[in-house]
Amino acid sequence: METCAALILAAGKGTRMHSQKPKVLQTILGSPMLACVYKALKPVFGDDILTLVGHRADLVQACFPEEHFVIQSEQQGTGHALACALPMLTQKGYHQTMVVNGDVPLLTEDLTRLFLEKAENFDLAFATLTLTEPGAYGRVRRNGSQVEIIEAKDYDEASYGPPTGEINAGLYLIDCKLAAQLLPKLTRSPKSGEYYITDLVALASQAGARVAAINLGSDQRLLGVNSPRELSDMEEFLRQQIVDGLLDKGVICHAPDLVRVGAFVEIEPGCELTGPCEIYGHSHICQGVEIASHCHIEDCRIAKGARIHSFSHLVQAEVGEGALVGPYARLRPGAVLEEDSHVGNFVELKKARLGRGAKANHLSYLGDASIGQGTNIGAGTITCNYDGKNKHRTEIGEHAFIGSNTALVAPVSVGRGALIGAGSTITHNVPEGNLSVARAKQKNFAQRLLGRDDAD
Ligand code: UD1
Ligand code: CA
């Protein structure tokens, strides 16, 4: 395997998706399709993966900065795509390459290994599936020892007969020398004007190379995504598979049909989820966590026994053991809730740490802030972190009490055990243990003295 690299074809426009986004960046349960392909290939190929990009290459590369790329500046078909990558593959000393279409998000490590095992001893092998309806897939024709792939557009039933249902799955193992020899022989398809990688099969067969069409049954996991409908079908297929896996391992799912969990998420047994909910990215949900309905959670770590109440939105946040969140809470990137802290309704945190047992239960914005353990943040507290140009921090010590409707104008600090009177606008630091009140003094007037005789 040291001399075999994987080549992912991801340069196409994805015209049939009708979207500005490159097709491989379309998401499936929150993760780009290409991330799912890497997930299947990484355990098999490690660092020996090359991704061919072209259409909006900048976007794809920005999304996966750690990967190796090769550019196909004009998309002239999958055959041309291989021709663009081959010089780099041979220069790096690879003898074989496993070429895979970038639009197969359900591909798995097992399937990749199975294919490679069966393909190993051939000069050119490709995976096939048997479908009841061959649709737009390339049709496989076997004729004695000869085999060829005919693209759907070019399939003429009058001359070839009805299709057998065996189709090309878009997964190939090719000897690099053979590819170098045959690629110059490819001609453009008269219908699309493209060079097809699939034409290499007939060329290799005719040249007497060892060619194999490896049938993998009707495994859905090799299907490609070409249209919004196929994307949604595949997303639903994967969703069911993931939820089934969760149920099997001991995660309680209420309304399981409405639970959406991404391919990279880890949920430990003993958690309880209620649909509809979405848990995406590289989230890790520890034992005993309860997630109520209508929550969106992305790239978060939620520790043991925490409870996320309905309608909460959490992105790149950390929730400590036993913490309570929501309903209607918003945790933005960099929000850290320590053990047993509480964040209630209409509270937003961004780059803010809430100490152990601290509470912000109602209607607050805490941004660029750190809040000590046991501190209580009253309803309507706002950290005014932005002066129009720069962001500034608010530091609040342990066991402080911030009265309701307080504006903390950053940079500012409130010492340990300090108490802020409700309605204060705090612009200067408050020393440890002090009581601070910063608001206009209340004056009461009898209304008669103001000339309002009609007052009761
Ligand atoms: C391709 C196969 C078809 C097979 C199907 C399996 C060809 C000609 N046909 O058809 O036999 O049944 O996959 O899913 O290969 N790409 C590039 N550069 C290009 C053109 C395409 O990188 O110039 C990439 C695309 O981004 C995509 C992959 O190659 O990831 C396949 O292209 P696509 O247009 O989806 O091919 P299909 O029509 O699905
Ligand atoms: Ca495709």
Side-chain angles (χ1 to χ4, degrees), residues 16 23 101 103 224-226:
R16 291 164 279 180
K23 181 164 69 175
N101 288 350
D103 60 1
V225 168
N226 301 296

Side-chain angles (χ1 to χ4, degrees), residues 8-16 23-24 52-54 72 74-82 100-104 127 134 136-139 149-153 167-172 192 194-199 222-226 230:
I8 305 175
L9 304 186
K13 291 195 189 82
T15 315
R16 291 164 279 180
K23 181 164 69 175
V24 293
L52 180 108
V53 286
Q72 181 193 25
E74 263 183 84
Q75 287 73 61
Q76 299 183 38
T78 47
H80 177 252
L82 174 59
V100 56
N101 288 350
D103 60 1
V104 288
Y137 290 96
R139 280 95 160 117
I149 301 171
I150 299 169
E151 288 306 305
K153 282 182 204 147
I167 59 99
N168 166 32
L171 179 61
Y172 318 81
S192 64
E194 291 188 351
Y195 296 97
Y196 293 158
I197 194 172
T198 47
D199 287 347
L222 274 175
L223 296 184
V225 168
N226 301 296
E230 283 169 0

Side-chain angles (χ1 to χ4, degrees), residues 62-85:
C63 201
F64 299 97
E66 67 290 354
E67 298 299 335
H68 308 294
F69 292 97
V70 58
I71 304 281
Q72 181 193 25
S73 32
E74 263 183 84
Q75 287 73 61
Q76 299 183 38
T78 47
H80 177 252
L82 174 59
C84 288

Side-chain angles (χ1 to χ4, degrees), residues 46-273:
D47 208 27
D48 300 316
I49 300 176
L50 189 62
T51 306
L52 180 108
V53 286
H55 174 70
R56 296 311 312 267
D58 53 328
L59 297 180
V60 183
Q61 285 172 299
C63 201
F64 299 97
E66 67 290 354
E67 298 299 335
H68 308 294
F69 292 97
V70 58
I71 304 281
Q72 181 193 25
S73 32
E74 263 183 84
Q75 287 73 61
Q76 299 183 38
T78 47
H80 177 252
L82 174 59
C84 288
L86 197 64
M88 189 180 283
L89 291 167
T90 29
Q91 185 209 324
K92 290 195 171 185
Y94 297 114
H95 293 153
Q96 278 182 311
T97 178
M98 190 192 84
V99 183
V100 56
N101 288 350
D103 60 1
V104 288
L106 301 186
L107 184 70
T108 62
E109 177 192 345
D110 293 359
L111 212 52
T112 309
R113 288 194 192 280
L114 177 71
F115 169 69
L116 287 173
E117 207 178 282
K118 292 181 183 254
E120 201 169 41
N121 297 319
F122 295 95
D123 302 315
L124 194 170
F126 63 102
T128 73
L129 295 175
T130 307
L131 304 180
T132 40
E133 181 41 69
Y137 290 96
R139 280 95 160 117
V140 177
R141 282 190 81 224
R142 296 171 187 261
N143 190 359
S145 63
Q146 302 285 299
V147 56
E148 63 179 332
I149 301 171
I150 299 169
E151 288 306 305
K153 282 182 204 147
D154 304 324
Y155 197 90
D156 172 20
E157 278 207 38
S159 38
Y160 301 125
T164 58
E166 188 176 21
I167 59 99
N168 166 32
L171 179 61
Y172 318 81
L173 185 69
I174 307 178
D175 179 274
C176 291
K177 278 201 187 124
L178 180 68
Q181 202 183 308
L182 298 181
L183 281 168
K185 299 189 178 162
L186 285 185
T187 51
R188 289 180 190 273
S189 146
K191 289 247 169 76
S192 64
E194 291 188 351
Y195 296 97
Y196 293 158
I197 194 172
T198 47
D199 287 347
L200 292 180
V201 171
L203 288 174
S205 241
Q206 286 153 20
R210 294 167 301 172
V211 178
I214 295 168
N215 189 270
L216 297 176
S218 57
D219 203 318
Q220 294 238 15
R221 293 173 298 173
L222 274 175
L223 296 184
V225 168
N226 301 296
S227 64
R229 181 164 305 279
E230 283 169 0
L231 179 66
S232 113
D233 287 350
M234 222 158 268
E235 197 169 35
E236 180 53 19
F237 177 82
L238 182 63
R239 193 199 64 74
Q240 280 179 23
Q241 245 190 3
I242 290 174
V243 170
D244 271 355
L246 292 175
L247 292 168
D248 284 346
K249 83 183 221 196
V251 174
I252 297 168
C253 297
H254 303 286
D257 290 349
L258 302 175
V259 169
R260 303 174 71 76
V261 173
F264 297 85
V265 173
E266 263 187 71
I267 304 187
E268 296 181 6
C271 288
E272 192 166 343
L273 314 178

Side-chain angles (χ1 to χ4, degrees), residues 393-397 408-415 420 426 428-431:
R393 290 192 60 80
T394 300
E395 311 281 345
I396 303 175
L408 296 152
V409 183
V412 72
S413 72
V414 175
I420 312 285
I426 300 297
H428 297 103
N429 293 347
V430 180

